[in-house]
Amino acid sequence: MKTPYKNIYAVLKTNRFIVIAVLAFSFLSSGIAVWSVFSINNKALNNAFAVNTDGSVIPLKWVAQKENLKVEALAHLDLFHSYFYNIDASNYEKNLEKALWLGNSSVDNLYRQKKADGVYNRLLQYSLVQKVINIESQLDLQSNPYTFQSRTIFEINRGTVVDRYEMISTGNLIVVDRNFPKNTHGLLITNYFEKSLKKLTNEN
């Protein structure tokens, strides 16, 4: 009995299917390989490393985050000290309300103490103008909560007399949810304390 031969066209059709399948698989594998290399390269670029001052290695992404935090923290402190100390009879209520959004109960307690001491009554009674001249802040962003010390120079205009003062204040900063426009930087001042206040003379 003779062995039946398969139809030549069926054999060719099967071979063509196998060749097409192998080529498709090869292209798919090559595409996945190229995508993987591209993805790994992007991750490497986004997670480049830098050497810290103590010799430790840190991702540059962290460095960028720290730089952004420093900028926002300094802006937050500038804004707070401007609102809290740059006041006169016409704007003190509005400015103090804005300042209270930037700090916690420690700021509110200081405000209430100043109010009880008659600071704002004297502002109204004698039409005093308290103007902030300069604000310089130092930050420690190594641990949370972040500590700061600010040096604020301001003048009190009493009409015929203008006195200049230097105030050193300290406190902490914590990260909170942003609240536009009341707290755009998403930071809150805690443990706020007026460390020292001195009158400046021409010699200073």
Side-chain angles (χ1 to χ4, degrees):
M1 184 176 180
K2 293 183 179 180
T3 302
Y5 290 98
K6 292 183 179 180
N7 189 304
I8 187 66
Y9 293 107
V11 174
L12 292 174
K13 186 176 182 180
T14 301
N15 289 342
R16 185 174 62 180
F17 174 79
I18 293 173
V19 171
I20 291 174
V22 170
L23 288 175
F25 181 78
S26 299
F27 280 118
L28 181 61
S29 299
S30 299
I32 292 175
V34 170
W35 178 82
S36 298
V37 171
F38 180 78
S39 177
I40 292 172
N41 182 62
N42 276 347
K43 287 181 179 179
L45 290 176
N46 291 332
N47 294 280
F49 293 91
V51 179
N52 200 1
T53 53
D54 60 0
S56 60
V57 178
I58 55 174
L60 286 180
K61 184 161 55 177
W62 293 0
V63 176
Q65 289 175 351
K66 287 291 185 182
E67 289 175 351
N68 292 338
L69 176 60
K70 182 178 180 180
V71 171
E72 296 218 47
L74 290 174
H76 187 85
L77 292 172
D78 279 2
L79 198 61
F80 167 76
H81 286 85
S82 294
Y83 282 146
F84 203 72
Y85 298 102
N86 201 78
I87 53 176
D88 57 40
S90 65
N91 70 9
Y92 83 97
E93 289 183 330
K94 178 179 65 177
N95 280 7
L96 290 174
E97 181 182 357
K98 292 178 179 179
L100 291 175
W101 276 98
L102 306 180
N104 73 344
S105 59
S106 62
V107 174
D108 184 63
N109 290 339
L110 178 61
Y111 158 71
R112 293 178 184 276
Q113 183 61 50
K114 286 178 178 288
K115 188 175 182 180
D117 291 342
V119 172
Y120 306 119
N121 284 338
R122 288 193 294 274
L123 192 76
L124 295 171
Q125 183 178 356
Y126 300 107
S127 298
L128 303 179
V129 177
Q130 185 169 292
K131 182 180 179 181
V132 172
I133 305 300
N134 187 49
I135 303 167
E136 296 178 357
S137 297
Q138 296 178 335
L139 295 164
D140 182 1
L141 302 179
Q142 298 303 314
S143 59
N144 195 358
Y146 312 115
T147 60
F148 72 85
Q149 177 172 291
S150 297
R151 176 177 179 266
T152 304
I153 306 297
F154 62 89
E155 291 179 344
I156 297 181
N157 189 323
R158 296 180 171 84
T160 57
V161 179
V162 177
D163 294 321
R164 180 170 289 200
Y165 296 87
E166 175 195 72
M167 189 196 64
I168 305 298
S169 57
T170 60
N172 301 114
L173 284 172
I174 60 173
V175 177
V176 296
D177 291 336
R178 295 177 189 269
N179 184 339
F180 184 84
K182 294 176 179 178
N183 189 336
T184 57
H185 297 107
L187 296 167
L188 194 71
I189 295 172
T190 65
N191 300 321
Y192 186 68
F193 179 65
E194 291 183 346
K195 185 177 180 180
S196 66
L197 176 67
K198 70 175 182 179
K199 184 177 180 180
L200 299 178
T201 62
N202 292 333
E203 296 178 356
N204 299 119

